[in-house]
Amino acid sequence: MGTVTIQEVAAYAGVSSATVSRVLNGHPRVSAELRERVLEASRALGYQPNRVARRLRIGSSTSDVVGLIISDIENPFFISVVRGVEDVAYANRLSVVLCNTDESPAKQQMYLNVMLAERVGGLIISPAPGSDYQELDRLRQKGIPIVLLDRRAERYDFDTVQVDNVHGAFMAVSHLIELGHRRIALIGGTAGLTTARDRYEGYRNALEKAGIALDKSLIKQGDYKKASGYQLTLDLMQLREPPRAIFVANNLMTLGTLQALQELRIRVPQDVALVGFDDMPWSGQLCPPLTAVAQPTYDLGQEAGRLLLRRMPDRDAAAQTIVLQTRLIIRESSGARLDKEPRHE
Amino acid sequence: MGTVTIQEVAAYAGVSSATVSRVLNGHPRVSAELRERVLEASRALGYQPNRVARRLRIGSSTSDVVGLIISDIENPFFISVVRGVEDVAYANRLSVVLCNTDESPAKQQMYLNVMLAERVGGLIISPAPGSDYQELDRLRQKGIPIVLLDRRAERYDFDTVQVDNVHGAFMAVSHLIELGHRRIALIGGTAGLTTARDRYEGYRNALEKAGIALDKSLIKQGDYKKASGYQLTLDLMQLREPPRAIFVANNLMTLGTLQALQELRIRVPQDVALVGFDDMPWSGQLCPPLTAVAQPTYDLGQEAGRLLLRRMPDRDAAAQTIVLQTRLIIRESSGARLDKEPRHE
DNA sequence: CGCGATTGTGAAATCGTTTTCTTGCCCCCG
DNA sequence: CGGGGGCAAGAAAACGATTTCACAATCGCG
């Protein structure tokens, strides 16, 4: 027992199930008396429509659940993005279900199947490296609006929300150059992700503009996880001539770098200057407070939510890309001279 | 275009839809020849069963999606728990969809409706303060197995996974007492949550054991968010006789406390000693490295996942409560004398 | 060789809604 | 007074899968 069906409500109220449905969905053509009886019956029995049956009948179009597939839930960046999406969704009476692929294409495929199976009303996804965009395209063709988050698809035309990674990285590295550094290492991001490529490009642009030659031995490729930042920093510091400054392409790797330097008893910024990509709420309480390229993470989520909301009504408008700007927050780790009352928030 | 149904597959293969269903679900009584034809047709058309229809027919019992409702996605504690749940689920071929209630009973109710509507195979939830446990009980009666996470329901009998909060807080405060402190402030957790009550109890127990009288002016009630830790710390420090030690009942509030003390130019631990509840991956890189009661967050998630898995087959076994132990990690913020090679991980 | 048991297959019922179709009733106007 | 037009409400179809039921055909065994 447990579930009560529309039939039982109808029987209880002495009407047909069609009438019950009409009342509950606010159809105009129902007499006040029957409406009252139905509502009463519905309340008395504690009726909750079976949404599975409902969606089967209606089709995907009206699901008020949107899926949000992120690639690393342990990254505070995505958490903040999620909050942005949630707030926009909640304001529009939509529910958000979140799935975490852990940067694994296999898990991503699994969750895409879930999304398709549940016939969500829309989907926001930050694709895992090595994603099968054709698969995403298939979902879209089956009528699920899709917005890409943070990472572009190269040869497909999806709605996308991202930041200007090239410029962000450029600012970070230029900042180090202005402070007099010329041997600046890069701990780069995951191969195959547009963010990694873009941040690498920003790094190169900054060096090039300053007339500094690229030194391959100072360029490491990580995977956006803390452990790789840790390990690659150890590697860098074992070079015959270690760098005096490091630009790390994301926040988690920066934490690894910080830990490695701390364990090596290397002082930041005196011995090595450090700038990270992507700020965190506690970056100012780290030791030392971290200079970082802040992304408008929450806005990113909001924009993605809004874009999806716009897309849900008309499925086949032209795809659109929204690019938000980053901002360099200068704290102590880069070694810049700070004003006397530092406002690390 | 769009979705291909089982009927189309049947037509393409020249069989009935019943046969297609049997093949795809691995029924034994199908001839090899037809099986082959059906599989071929299914592949050719790229058939993906409509799970909505499937679940309508089958009933809730076989959904391979479990819901995980957490109350604050911005808290790293829950993130780690989520990872634990996910790993157990994934190893058992289950998908996890995550919902964040933001400590709001209204949002929680919304997501409970979603879970019911989607007929998830099971549900793990850390209830928001002021939760309607009767509602949860209703879900359970409708056949959805439920495991409570981190927080108990007081007058209902649910499967529960939690840590020994009383003992954890007791250790933290006792540690401060051993270091010579007697004026120890408490920044407590959200009213109405068992974790807040338990940690408060541990605080009292420790003081009592040491023969220290409770000083109400040193006891503040927060809401487990960073902002309240920040504000309450400012309040404490404006007392005529401020505390020389603070025990903060969760990690986010501790970050707020740290920020407040930093802005007030109060040195930790020289001026004020600090112990937090719940460690974070970067607690060792904070300024100063944080002494904290570490919860086995990942294990907590795993246990919750396992408990749910055990519960899903037999719905009405007796409810079970699993209590895990905490561990005090001593770093610099409490002012303890550390070994020369500190191993802050 | 005959008859019951077994097996493979299709037709049809089913899950719980929504929506279309149909029907009966009332109202209004010529 | 008769007939067309609305309109409220029930009957039935539809959504897309699974599963029961019915029905041949084949098999096995005496």
Side-chain angles (χ1 to χ4, degrees):
Chain A
M1 52 170 294
T3 43
V4 28
T5 76
I6 199 174
Q7 304 290 346
E8 306 179 60
V9 176
Y12 187 97
V15 299
S16 74
S17 62
T19 302
V20 176
S21 173
R22 281 192 271 257
V23 170
L24 267 38
N25 293 313
H27 265 249
R29 303 284 145 88
V30 179
S31 73
E33 186 208 336
L34 286 199
R35 180 188 312 281
E36 197 40 56
R37 286 229 306 273
V38 166
L39 289 177
E40 169 55 28
S42 168
R43 210 173 314 122
L45 298 177
Y47 172 64
Q48 280 267 16
N50 180 333
R51 281 213 235 178
V52 174
R54 180 164 209 272
R55 280 231 303 289
L56 173 58
R57 176 60 229 234
I58 290 185
S60 72
S61 48
T62 45
S63 174
D64 51 359
V65 176
V66 308
L68 174 50
I69 299 184
I70 61 176
S71 47
D72 184 6
I73 198 177
E74 299 182 80
N75 190 328
F77 165 78
F78 285 115
I79 299 305
S80 177
V81 169
V82 167
R83 294 291 296 110
V85 173
E86 276 178 350
D87 286 351
V88 167
Y90 190 66
N92 290 275
R93 297 171 196 291
L94 293 175
S95 305
V96 176
V97 303
L98 186 64
C99 300
N100 171 40
T101 63
D102 214 16
E103 308 280 9
S104 144
K107 284 191 190 178
Q108 175 170 307
Q109 187 54 53
M110 175 177 90
Y111 284 119
L112 286 180
N113 285 337
V114 172
M115 295 297 125
L116 181 57
E118 308 293 340
R119 297 294 199 275
V120 292
L123 177 62
I124 298 176
I125 177 172
S126 77
S131 285
D132 179 2
Y133 288 102
Q134 202 176 353
E135 184 65 25
L136 270 183
D137 200 40
R138 196 147 48 225
L139 281 214
R140 180 167 57 173
Q141 275 168 20
K142 291 194 176 169
I144 300 182
I146 295 182
V147 170
L148 258 43
L149 184 71
D150 183 47
R151 305 164 177 185
R152 296 189 305 277
E154 298 279 53
R155 278 184 302 282
Y156 287 82
D157 203 27
F158 285 99
D159 285 314
T160 307
V161 177
Q162 61 164 143
V163 299
D164 188 343
N165 288 292
V166 178
H167 184 248
F170 179 86
M171 282 195 299
V173 177
S174 295
H175 172 62
L176 288 169
I177 294 174
E178 283 167 21
L179 293 170
H181 292 285
R182 296 186 66 82
R183 287 183 58 73
I184 303 173
L186 167 71
I187 295 184
T190 311
L193 292 183
T194 55
T195 54
R197 192 151 51 247
D198 290 354
R199 290 169 198 176
Y200 176 49
E201 189 179 330
Y203 168 83
R204 274 185 307 153
N205 290 352
L207 294 187
E208 188 175 346
K209 188 179 170 199
I212 302 174
L214 224 58
D215 180 345
K216 289 282 183 191
S217 68
L218 295 181
I219 298 178
K220 300 287 183 182
Q221 180 161 84
D223 64 1
Y224 282 158
K225 301 269 176 92
K226 182 179 175 185
S228 83
Y230 179 84
Q231 185 55 51
L232 294 175
T233 302
L234 294 184
D235 293 353
L236 281 173
M237 289 306 143
Q238 278 178 342
L239 290 179
R240 207 147 356 114
E241 196 179 357
R244 296 294 306 274
I246 308 179
F247 167 56
V248 189
N250 94 331
N251 48 9
L252 292 183
M253 293 195 300
T254 307
L255 289 174
T257 295
L258 219 48
Q259 184 183 335
L261 294 176
Q262 178 181 313
E263 291 182 10
L264 291 171
R265 300 274 187 277
I266 294 175
R267 292 167 308 165
V268 180
Q270 295 89 332
D271 302 332
V272 168
L274 192 61
V275 178
F277 202 105
D278 198 19
D279 204 40
M280 295 167 291
W282 54 87
S283 289
Q285 276 84 249
L286 285 173
C287 198
L290 212 62
T291 296
V293 179
Q295 305 190 57
T297 50
Y298 182 80
D299 299 337
L300 219 48
Q302 285 199 314
E303 286 301 335
R306 293 200 195 101
L307 190 48
L308 185 64
L309 282 170
R310 283 203 298 277
R311 180 52 29 109
M312 283 166 67
D314 65 337
R315 300 289 158 97
D316 22 44
Q320 190 176 348
T321 294
I322 296 178
V323 178
L324 302 184
Q325 280 308 323
T326 58
R327 188 166 55 94
L328 183 66
I329 298 186
I330 299 175
R331 299 198 187 87
E332 298 176 19
S333 73
S334 55
R337 207 167 297 119
L338 297 173
D339 301 340
K340 208 42 223 155
E341 278 293 324
R343 300 290 337 138
H344 9 90
E345 58 183 272
Chain B
M1 52 154 279
T3 42
V4 27
T5 75
I6 198 173
Q7 305 289 347
E8 306 179 61
V9 176
Y12 188 98
V15 299
S16 74
S17 63
T19 301
V20 176
S21 173
R22 281 192 271 258
V23 169
L24 266 38
N25 293 314
H27 266 249
R29 306 282 148 89
V30 181
S31 73
E33 187 208 336
L34 286 198
R35 180 187 312 280
E36 197 42 55
R37 286 229 306 273
V38 166
L39 289 177
E40 170 56 27
S42 168
R43 213 173 312 123
L45 299 177
Y47 173 63
Q48 280 266 14
N50 180 332
R51 280 213 237 178
V52 174
R54 181 166 208 272
R55 280 231 303 288
L56 174 58
R57 177 59 230 241
I58 290 185
S60 73
S61 48
T62 46
S63 174
D64 51 0
V65 176
V66 309
L68 174 50
I69 299 184
I70 61 176
S71 46
D72 185 6
I73 198 177
E74 298 182 80
N75 190 328
F77 165 78
F78 285 114
I79 298 304
S80 176
V81 169
V82 167
R83 293 292 295 113
V85 174
E86 276 178 350
D87 287 351
V88 167
Y90 190 67
N92 290 275
R93 297 170 198 291
L94 294 175
S95 305
V96 176
V97 303
L98 186 64
C99 301
N100 172 39
T101 64
D102 213 17
E103 307 281 9
S104 143
K107 284 191 190 178
Q108 175 170 307
Q109 186 56 53
M110 176 177 90
Y111 284 120
L112 286 180
N113 285 337
V114 172
M115 294 297 124
L116 182 56
E118 307 292 340
R119 296 294 199 275
V120 292
L123 178 62
I124 299 176
I125 178 173
S126 77
S131 285
D132 179 2
Y133 287 102
Q134 203 177 352
E135 182 65 25
L136 270 184
D137 201 40
R138 196 147 48 223
L139 282 214
R140 180 166 58 172
Q141 276 169 18
K142 291 195 175 169
I144 300 183
I146 295 182
V147 170
L148 258 45
L149 184 71
D150 182 48
R151 304 166 177 184
R152 295 189 305 277
E154 297 279 51
R155 279 185 301 281
Y156 287 82
D157 203 27
F158 284 99
D159 284 314
T160 307
V161 176
Q162 59 164 145
V163 300
D164 187 342
N165 289 290
V166 179
H167 184 247
F170 179 86
M171 282 195 298
V173 177
S174 296
H175 173 61
L176 289 169
I177 294 173
E178 283 167 21
L179 292 171
H181 291 285
R182 296 186 67 83
R183 287 184 57 74
I184 302 173
L186 167 71
I187 295 184
T190 310
L193 292 183
T194 57
T195 54
R197 190 150 53 247
D198 290 353
R199 290 169 198 176
Y200 175 50
E201 188 178 329
Y203 168 83
R204 274 185 308 154
N205 290 354
L207 293 187
E208 188 175 349
K209 187 178 171 199
I212 302 175
L214 224 58
D215 181 345
K216 288 283 181 190
S217 69
L218 295 181
I219 297 176
K220 300 288 183 183
Q221 182 160 83
D223 64 2
Y224 281 157
K225 301 269 176 93
K226 182 179 175 186
S228 83
Y230 178 84
Q231 185 55 51
L232 294 174
T233 302
L234 294 185
D235 293 353
L236 281 172
M237 290 304 144
Q238 279 179 339
L239 290 178
R240 205 147 357 116
E241 196 178 358
R244 297 292 306 274
I246 308 180
F247 168 57
V248 188
N250 94 330
N251 48 8
L252 293 184
M253 294 195 300
T254 307
L255 289 174
T257 295
L258 219 48
Q259 184 183 337
L261 294 175
Q262 177 181 315
E263 291 182 9
L264 292 171
R265 298 275 187 278
I266 294 174
R267 292 169 306 166
V268 180
Q270 295 89 333
D271 302 330
V272 169
L274 191 61
V275 178
F277 202 105
D278 197 19
D279 203 41
M280 295 167 290
W282 53 86
S283 290
Q285 276 83 249
L286 285 172
C287 197
L290 213 61
T291 296
V293 179
Q295 305 190 57
T297 50
Y298 182 80
D299 299 336
L300 219 48
Q302 284 199 313
E303 287 300 336
R306 293 200 195 103
L307 190 49
L308 185 64
L309 281 170
R310 283 203 298 277
R311 180 52 30 109
M312 282 166 67
D314 65 338
R315 302 288 158 97
D316 22 44
Q320 190 176 347
T321 294
I322 295 177
V323 178
L324 302 185
Q325 281 308 323
T326 57
R327 187 167 57 92
L328 182 66
I329 298 184
I330 299 175
R331 299 199 188 85
E332 298 176 19
S333 73
S334 55
R337 208 168 295 119
L338 296 172
D339 301 341
K340 210 44 222 150
E341 278 294 323
R343 300 288 340 135
H344 8 92
E345 56 184 272

